[in-house]
Amino acid sequence: MLTSRTFVKRTRAGAVVKVVREHYLRDDIACGAAACRLCTPAGSGSAPGLEARPSGPASSLCPGPHFLLPDTNLLLHQVSASGTEGRVVETYIEQKRGETSNDRNDRAIRVAVKWYNEHLKKTEDAEKIEVIFLTNDNTNKEKALEEGITAYTCEEYIKSLTANPELVDRLACVSDEGKEIEGGKIIFPEHIPLSKLQQGIKSGIYLQGTYRANRENYLEATVWVHGDAEENKEIIVQGLKHLNRAIHEDVVAVELLAKDEWVAPSSVVLQDDGQNEEDIENEEEKENILKTSVSKDMLRPTGRVVGIIKRNWRPYCGMLSKSQIKEARRHLFTPADRRIPRIRIETRQADTLEGQRIIVAIDGWPRNSRYPNGHFVKNLGSAGDKETETEVLLLEHDVPHQAFSQAVLSFLPKMPWSITEEDMKHREDLRHLTVCSVDPPGCTDIDDALHCREIGNGNLEVGVHIADVSHFIRPGNALDEESVKRGTTVYLCEKRIDMVPELLSSNLCSLRSNVDRLAFSCIWEMNHKAEILKTRFTKSIINSKASLTYAEAQMRIDSATMNDDITLSLRGLNKLAKILKKKRIENGALTLASPEVRFHMDSETHDPIDLQTKELKETNSMVEEFMLLANISVAQKIYDEFPEFALLRKHPAPPPSNYDILVKAAKSKNLEIKTDSAKALAESLDKAESPTFPYLNTLLRILTTRCMMQAVYFCSGMDNDFHHYGLASPIYTHFTSPIRRYADIIVHRLLAVAIGADSTYPELTDKHKLAEMCKNLNYRHKMAQYAQRASVAFHTQLFFKTKGVVNEDAYILFVRKNAIVVLIPKYGLEGTVFFEEKDKPTPKLEYNSEVPSLTVEDTIFHVFDKVKVNIMLDDSNIQHQKMRMVLVEPKVRPKIPRTILSFINVKNHHVVKWKFNPEEKT
C-alpha cells in the first residue's frame, strides 16, 4: 500500500519547489500471537513472538491472561524491571498539524494497543486475552483511559505482581534527575541546559571533554578536553561542588576558573569511606586538606563542571552498605570501582543482599542529594567466592565473556578438518623446514613459530610463521563480527576468555608440533651481522617439529651435547636476536621494566599456593626480537601498498611533564636522567647505576614505564605521526598474534591483498571505518589489561589470606602528602603505607613536592628508599579487601612534648616522677 504527502518549500535561491513524500506500508506483517489464525507469519518458518496463552506472573490488577505493550520511554527507563522483550507492529498514522513528534508517537502506540485488542477478539482461541498499555506519562495514560484502553503506570503494574514483590526494587526513578530528597539541603549548583551549553562551547565560554574520576582521591577529577587544541588539554576539577554530580566517563562541559584559582594535582589519598551521606561539613574539611601551598609551576588549568553533555552510565557491580536503621528501605550501594560514587537504592531485600555482589543501575542525581539515586538489577553471588569475583571483574571491565552463539559456531570448519588441494594452490609448502615454537608453559594458543638455516650462498634464511587465522575467519560473517567485538583474548590467572572459539584458538589455528598447519610466513635472507638482504611474504603450510617452553629452548641453546637441527636453528636465532637487540638499543629503543608475577595453583582447590615474580630468559628476548622485526617488516609493506588504509600501531612520546617524578627521584639519588629524546633517556638509564644499590636501575626503569603514554592502533590515512617511541621505530604494526588480537587479522588481510593471495572488500579500504574499528580495539585492549591486573590483585589476596602477617623488604615508588607507595620485589606487589590511622594520634607530616619527600616526625622518606613492611590481607571491608602495608623499619616515633616526657608531681608531701614509654605509648 502506498500513501503520499505533498507540500511546497522555498529553496535558498528563492525558488519554490514541490516535494512529494511517499510511504510504502506493508500489510503482510503478522501480529505475532501464536493463538492468532488470521495472520500469516512474514517469512517462512517465522516463530510467533507471543505465546498462545500468556503465562506471566499473576497480577491483582489484571487477573486474566494479557499481553503488555509499553511505550518507548518506559522501555528505555525500565528495561531491567521488564525482563521480557516485546515486538511492536508498526501501525502507520499521519502526524497532525501542530502535533509534536512525541505526541504523534504516543498516539501511534495507543492505536496499536486498540488494534491488537480488536484483532485478538476475532480469533476464537484468543477471546479472553487483553492487551494492557503501560506508560509513565500521565497525559498519555489519561488519553488512553478516555479512549477505552486499559492503562497503568509501570509502578502500578509491577506492584500488582503479588507473587514477585522483589521486582519493585528494579523500578527506576522516572525523572532524569531522580527523586528529590524531601527537605534536603541544596548541595550542588544547577546544571546548565544542553542548548545553552552547546552555545557556550561554540563561543569558547565552556570546554567539552571526558570526565575522569581519580581512583585515589574521590574529591578530584580531570577532564580531557575534546578537539585538536593542545592548550588546556587536561583540566583539574577539585571539590564536591565543582565536580557537580559528574560520573566517571561522562562527557561534560567545564568552565575554566580564573588563574588565581588554579590548583596543582593533589598528592593526598582520600577514599569516601563515610556512612553518613548528609555529613557535608566533613566533606568541606577534607577539601581543605587539598588546599596546600605549591609553587606556581605546579599549578594546572582548573575548572568546574557546569553541565552534562552525555551520561555514560552503565550497570555497576558492588555491594550493599546496609542502613543502620531497623527495617529501613533506603540503603547505600558501594561500587567495586572506587571512581564511581556510592548510589542510594530502595530495596526490601537488604537482609538477603547483604554480603552479596550485586548489580545496580543509576537513575539520576538530584541537586540536594550527596549521592545519585539508582535501583537494584541483579544478584551475582556471594562476595569472596572465586566464580562471583571473576564475573565481577569481567563485567566491571566490560569484557565480553558469554559463550559463543550457534550463529558464530556455524561458521567454523566441519570436523574432521584437513588441508585440501584447493588450500595448497596458493601456498608455499614449507613442511620440510625445521620450524619450532617457543612459548610459556601450558600455552595452547600457539600463534607463532620460527626457523633459521644456512643457505647455499653462506647467508642465513630466517622465517617467522604466524597462524593463518584469516583463512578461517572471513569478512562480515557472524564469526568475524564476534571477533572484532571482543577485540582481544583476555588472560586471567586461572581462565582465558578467547577472542575466537576454542576449535580455532587451541586446535586448527594453533601451530602445534607434528601436525600440518596453515600459516602466513615472513622470510628474510640475512647475513651473519643480522643485516636484512631480502624480505618476502607468503601464505604457507608448515609442520612444526617441536613445541617448546622458554626454559626448554634455553636448555637446548646452553647444552654442550645437543646438536640436532632444532637446537642449531635455536642457536642461530639467538645469536641474530642479540645483534638485533643491540642495534635497536643503539637506535634509542627503551628497555623498561614492570614487575610481573606467576601463581602456582593447588591442583585440587585451584587456590594460589605460591607467588613469584616471572623470570625472563634469553629465549624470551629471542622470540620478542623476531616478532618485532616481523611486525616492522609487515608494517612497511602494507603501508607501501595501502598508504591510506594501513592499520598501524604507534606509541606517542610522553609530554615533558610526565617525566617530572622520574627526574626528581633520580636527582634525589644524585643521578641525572635526560628526557629530551628516547635515545637520551635510554642512555641515561643505562648509566644510572649504583654499586651499593643494584636494584636502583630496575626501580628507575619501573618508574619510567609509569611515565609512558599508551600505545594505540590507528589508520594511516587518518594520522601523520606513525612513530613508535618505545621501540624507536618509524613504523610498526601487529601481525604476529592473530589468534588473540583482532588487529592482526586485519593486518593479515591487508598483507594478503598486497601480495595477491586474497581479494579485498569495501570495509578494508574505508579509512573512516578502520579508524572506528581502531577506537574499539584500543578500548578492548585497555580493558583487557585492567581485567588482568584485577585478576592478579584478587589472587594475591587469596594467597595472603592464609599467610597471616608477612615481613618483607620494600622500596618507595611514590611519596604522597599522607602516605608512601611501596613495591615489594619478591612478590611484584605494590601497596600504600598510610601514616594517618583512625583512633590514633596523627603524626606531624611535611610534604616536599620539589624533592619529592615526606617527613613524618623526624624521619624523611624519599623515592627509592628501602624500607621494611608487614604485609597482611585487610578484609575488614569485604567490598574492598586490600593488601595492607604497615611500616616496620625505619620506626616512626611520635614526638612527645618535653613537659610530658618527665615531670615531678608533688602530692601529699610525696615526690612522684612520671616517665613516658614511647614503645608502649604509656
Side-chain angles (χ1 to χ4, degrees):
M1 179 181 165
L2 172 66
T3 67
S4 63
R5 184 177 165 209
T6 306
F7 59 94
V8 293
K9 75 170 189 177
R10 192 180 295 277
T11 66
R12 283 184 180 177
V16 175
V17 294
K18 179 179 172 183
V19 178
V20 179
R21 284 196 178 153
E22 296 179 336
H23 295 275
Y24 294 87
L25 306 179
R26 290 178 60 181
D27 57 4
D28 63 338
I29 298 176
C31 70
C36 179
R37 300 289 176 266
L38 301 173
C39 297
T40 304
S44 60
S46 294
L50 303 170
E51 52 196 341
R53 299 291 291 175
S55 57
S59 165
S60 58
L61 287 174
C62 318
H66 56 276
F67 295 130
L68 300 175
L69 206 160
D71 71 6
T72 317
N73 286 326
L74 192 143
L75 269 180
L76 286 171
H77 290 285
Q78 303 289 358
V79 69
S80 59
S82 65
T84 58
E85 295 178 359
R87 181 173 158 188
V88 179
V89 176
E90 290 182 359
T91 307
Y92 180 75
I93 59 166
E94 289 278 0
Q95 187 170 346
K96 294 178 180 177
R97 186 180 293 274
E99 185 179 45
T100 66
S101 297
N102 193 53
D103 288 345
R104 183 253 168 215
N105 290 341
D106 287 346
R107 188 163 56 88
I109 293 169
R110 295 197 302 274
V111 167
V113 176
K114 278 201 273 190
W115 181 87
Y116 258 115
N117 275 318
E118 292 300 319
H119 181 75
L120 291 175
K121 280 179 187 175
K122 297 172 188 173
T123 300
E124 197 174 311
D125 295 342
E127 272 183 15
K128 294 178 183 176
I129 297 177
E130 187 180 10
V131 177
I132 309 293
F133 181 40
L134 291 188
T135 179
N136 283 337
D137 184 328
N138 287 329
T139 306
N140 201 5
K141 182 188 168 188
E142 285 168 15
K143 287 182 179 177
L145 293 171
E146 286 169 12
E147 293 168 17
I149 297 169
T150 304
Y152 300 108
T153 65
C154 187
E155 187 171 356
E156 287 169 340
Y157 182 78
I158 293 294
K159 284 182 175 177
S160 79
L161 304 177
T162 50
N164 299 82
E166 74 282 355
L167 283 176
V168 177
D169 292 350
R170 302 190 184 194
L171 285 169
C173 296
V174 177
S175 73
D176 185 47
E177 288 293 294
K179 295 175 184 172
E180 297 284 327
I181 302 170
E182 291 178 21
K185 179 185 171 186
I186 296 296
I187 302 168
F188 298 101
E190 194 170 354
H191 285 149
I192 294 170
L194 186 60
S195 56
K196 287 188 178 178
L197 289 178
Q198 288 168 336
Q199 289 171 10
I201 290 164
K202 202 172 182 182
S203 64
I205 299 171
Y206 308 130
L207 296 167
Q208 178 177 321
T210 302
Y211 178 91
R212 303 269 166 80
N214 187 326
R215 200 185 296 272
E216 291 189 339
N217 184 346
Y218 74 101
L219 291 174
E220 181 173 283
T222 52
V223 174
W224 287 82
V225 177
H226 299 168
D228 299 325
E230 285 300 315
E231 190 182 2
N232 302 333
K233 185 80 176 173
E234 184 183 342
I235 296 170
I236 295 173
V237 184
Q238 274 187 6
L240 208 58
K241 289 179 182 177
H242 284 175
L243 297 175
N244 199 7
R245 297 170 286 158
I247 291 174
H248 185 63
E249 293 294 344
D250 281 351
V251 178
V252 301
V254 287
E255 180 180 45
L256 271 179
L257 300 177
K259 282 199 173 183
D260 60 358
E261 294 182 74
W262 285 13
V263 298
S266 167
S267 295
V268 70
V269 180
L270 283 179
Q271 304 292 357
D272 182 11
D273 292 324
Q275 281 290 334
N276 186 358
E277 56 180 296
E278 310 303 331
D279 192 2
I280 301 303
E281 287 179 15
N282 185 38
E283 304 289 359
E284 289 168 359
E285 280 179 31
K286 288 183 177 179
E287 286 181 25
N288 289 331
I289 299 171
L290 305 178
K291 297 169 185 173
T292 54
S293 58
V294 290
S295 60
K296 274 190 176 180
D297 62 335
M298 292 188 71
L299 299 176
R300 297 284 181 270
T302 308
R304 64 187 184 96
V305 174
V306 294
I308 309 295
I309 309 288
K310 184 189 174 192
R311 288 290 194 191
N312 277 323
W313 298 340
R314 59 176 174 83
Y316 300 103
C317 299
M319 292 184 72
L320 194 72
S321 301
K322 192 180 168 188
S323 171
Q324 302 300 314
I325 302 166
K326 197 177 179 183
E327 294 184 11
R329 287 188 180 178
R330 183 180 288 173
H331 307 270
L332 282 178
F333 164 83
T334 305
D337 187 343
R338 286 194 181 273
R339 294 170 300 184
I340 308 300
R342 294 179 173 208
I343 302 164
R344 188 194 304 103
I345 67 169
E346 290 190 22
T347 177
R348 295 154 182 77
Q349 305 174 71
D351 290 337
T352 308
L353 298 179
E354 196 173 18
Q356 301 288 298
R357 289 284 194 178
I358 63 174
I359 297 178
V360 160
I362 296 177
D363 300 323
W365 196 339
R367 290 176 60 200
N368 65 347
S369 171
R370 170 66 184 83
Y371 298 111
N373 293 328
H375 65 276
F376 166 73
V377 175
K378 187 181 180 184
N379 186 353
L380 295 172
S382 298
D385 173 75
K386 206 183 296 184
E387 287 301 314
T388 302
E389 296 300 334
T390 300
E391 179 72 8
V392 167
L393 75 85
L394 290 171
L395 289 169
E396 278 297 290
H397 296 100
D398 196 17
V399 175
H401 59 286
Q402 68 282 1
F404 289 99
S405 68
Q406 283 306 311
V408 169
L409 298 175
S410 68
F411 285 95
L412 293 174
K414 301 295 177 279
M415 297 299 287
W417 174 86
S418 60
I419 296 170
T420 64
E421 286 297 319
E422 188 63 29
D423 295 330
M424 300 283 283
K425 276 184 184 175
H426 307 290
R427 291 179 184 272
E428 250 184 85
D429 191 341
L430 303 179
R431 286 176 286 188
H432 61 286
L433 295 176
T434 307
V435 171
C436 68
S437 62
V438 184
D439 291 282
C443 179
T444 60
D445 53 341
I446 302 170
D447 283 289
D448 55 90
L450 305 114
H451 88 271
C452 175
R453 63 171 182 166
E454 195 163 310
I455 49 179
N457 59 9
N459 290 330
L460 299 168
E461 179 189 86
V462 178
V464 166
H465 311 277
I466 306 299
D468 190 4
V469 182
S470 63
H471 172 84
F472 297 96
I473 301 180
R474 303 307 295 163
N477 66 25
L479 177 57
D480 186 46
E481 287 172 0
E482 182 64 24
S483 302
V484 70
K485 177 187 156 192
R486 295 187 178 218
T488 180
T489 293
V490 181
Y491 295 90
L492 306 182
C493 292
E494 273 192 277
K495 196 173 186 177
R496 190 180 80 204
I497 313 295
D498 280 329
M499 181 184 81
V500 300
E502 191 178 17
L503 179 65
L504 297 183
S505 66
S506 295
N507 188 349
L508 303 186
C509 291
S510 184
L511 304 182
R512 301 186 301 186
S513 56
N514 303 314
V515 287
D516 292 351
R517 286 291 179 257
L518 303 180
F520 211 149
S521 300
C522 174
I523 300 171
W524 303 278
E525 184 180 332
M526 293 182 177
N527 60 26
H528 288 266
K529 294 178 184 177
E531 295 167 336
I532 298 171
L533 307 174
K534 288 179 188 173
T535 306
R536 66 190 183 91
F537 308 98
T538 180
K539 290 257 186 169
S540 62
I541 300 170
I542 65 165
N543 188 299
S544 173
K545 303 302 182 278
S547 299
L548 305 172
T549 65
Y550 290 116
E552 287 168 345
Q554 192 67 53
M555 185 195 71
R556 281 174 172 267
I557 291 168
D558 297 340
S559 170
T561 57
M562 297 182 78
N563 289 296
D564 57 280
D565 288 348
I566 295 170
T567 304
L568 293 175
S569 177
L570 287 168
R571 284 182 188 141
L573 290 165
N574 197 41
K575 185 181 173 185
L576 292 169
K578 287 177 180 178
I579 301 169
L580 290 169
K581 185 172 184 176
K582 187 170 180 285
K583 283 181 185 175
R584 276 199 313 108
I585 290 170
E586 284 169 359
N587 288 336
L590 296 172
T591 306
L592 302 180
S594 60
E596 288 189 71
V597 297
R598 181 181 298 283
F599 292 95
H600 295 275
M601 302 293 183
D602 185 289
S603 58
E604 291 182 10
T605 65
H606 297 285
D607 287 338
I609 53 175
D610 195 14
L611 172 60
Q612 297 172 337
T613 50
K614 288 183 183 176
E615 183 192 349
L616 297 181
K617 300 184 180 295
E618 258 186 16
T619 44
N620 290 80
S621 179
M622 176 191 80
V623 173
E624 182 186 16
E625 285 307 315
F626 285 107
M627 297 306 112
L628 293 174
L629 189 62
N631 287 334
I632 292 167
S633 298
V634 171
Q636 193 61 58
K637 178 67 177 178
I638 61 171
Y639 177 65
D640 289 345
E641 291 290 329
F642 305 106
E644 290 288 300
F645 317 119
L647 192 155
L648 303 175
R649 188 165 176 82
K650 68 173 180 176
H651 182 214
S657 61
N658 277 31
Y659 288 123
D660 287 351
I661 183 68
L662 174 68
V663 172
K664 287 176 182 177
K667 193 177 179 183
S668 73
K669 298 298 177 193
N670 299 314
L671 296 169
E672 185 186 10
I673 298 292
K674 294 180 179 176
T675 60
D676 40 323
S677 70
K679 187 171 174 62
L681 175 61
E683 286 173 352
S684 54
L685 282 171
D686 287 342
K687 291 174 188 173
E689 298 281 358
S690 170
T692 58
F693 188 1
Y695 196 63
L696 177 62
N697 191 263
T698 303
L699 287 168
L700 282 164
R701 292 181 192 276
I702 289 171
L703 199 55
T704 305
T705 305
R706 308 294 173 90
C707 302
M708 292 296 124
M709 303 292 283
Q710 185 76 37
V712 290
Y713 297 111
F714 68 101
C715 175
S716 59
M718 304 289 280
D719 209 320
N720 296 318
D721 177 20
F722 293 9
H723 190 72
H724 197 293
Y725 180 81
L727 297 173
S729 176
I731 195 165
Y732 192 67
T733 193
H734 272 164
F735 163 75
T736 54
S737 295
I739 294 176
R740 60 184 178 91
R741 290 188 307 230
Y742 189 81
D744 303 53
I745 293 177
I746 294 295
V747 169
H748 276 228
R749 289 173 181 170
L750 287 165
L751 184 61
V753 176
I755 65 169
D758 206 344
S759 54
T760 187
Y761 57 98
E763 288 77 14
L764 194 63
T765 52
D766 184 328
K767 64 182 180 182
H768 296 286
K769 285 188 177 175
L770 279 172
E772 197 60 34
M773 181 191 293
C774 287
K775 191 176 172 183
N776 173 62
L777 295 177
N778 290 329
Y779 170 73
R780 292 295 179 202
H781 183 73
K782 181 176 70 175
M783 288 296 107
Q785 284 184 320
Y786 291 163
Q788 285 156 212
R789 288 176 200 164
S791 180
V792 169
F794 174 63
H795 281 78
T796 302
Q797 291 170 12
L798 288 179
F799 173 72
F800 280 99
K801 199 170 189 175
T802 57
K803 293 286 174 188
V805 178
V806 178
N807 185 276
E808 283 297 339
D809 289 338
Y811 295 95
I812 299 174
L813 275 183
F814 305 100
V815 292
R816 306 290 188 219
K817 284 182 182 175
N818 60 343
I820 55 173
V821 179
V822 299
L823 173 74
I824 294 102
K826 182 176 177 179
Y827 298 118
L829 184 62
E830 202 174 302
T832 306
V833 176
F834 290 95
F835 293 107
E836 296 173 317
E837 293 187 62
K838 282 182 182 178
D839 307 321
K840 287 191 179 180
T842 301
K844 184 185 173 188
L845 302 173
E846 285 182 27
Y847 175 72
N848 185 332
S849 57
E850 290 300 312
V851 176
S853 69
L854 178 66
T855 305
V856 186
E857 297 296 353
D858 285 334
T859 307
I860 303 175
F861 295 96
H862 296 95
V863 176
F864 302 149
D865 280 358
K866 187 176 181 180
V867 296
K868 200 172 270 290
V869 296
N870 280 340
I871 316 163
M872 65 206 81
L873 176 65
D874 179 359
D875 56 5
S876 57
N877 179 348
I878 195 168
Q879 159 75 340
H880 287 125
Q881 292 191 36
K882 59 188 177 187
M883 299 312 303
R884 186 164 174 250
M885 311 281 182
V886 178
L887 189 70
V888 177
E889 290 177 15
K891 279 185 167 42
V892 175
R893 291 187 171 91
K895 271 188 180 178
I896 309 301
R898 292 175 67 87
T899 52
I900 296 176
L901 279 174
S902 178
F903 65 89
I904 295 172
N905 182 11
V906 181
K907 187 175 182 184
N908 298 335
H909 307 288
H910 292 282
V911 177
V912 182
K913 191 168 186 181
W914 297 74
K915 284 188 178 178
F916 182 78
N917 184 338
E919 292 295 323
E920 301 295 329
K921 296 186 183 176
T922 59

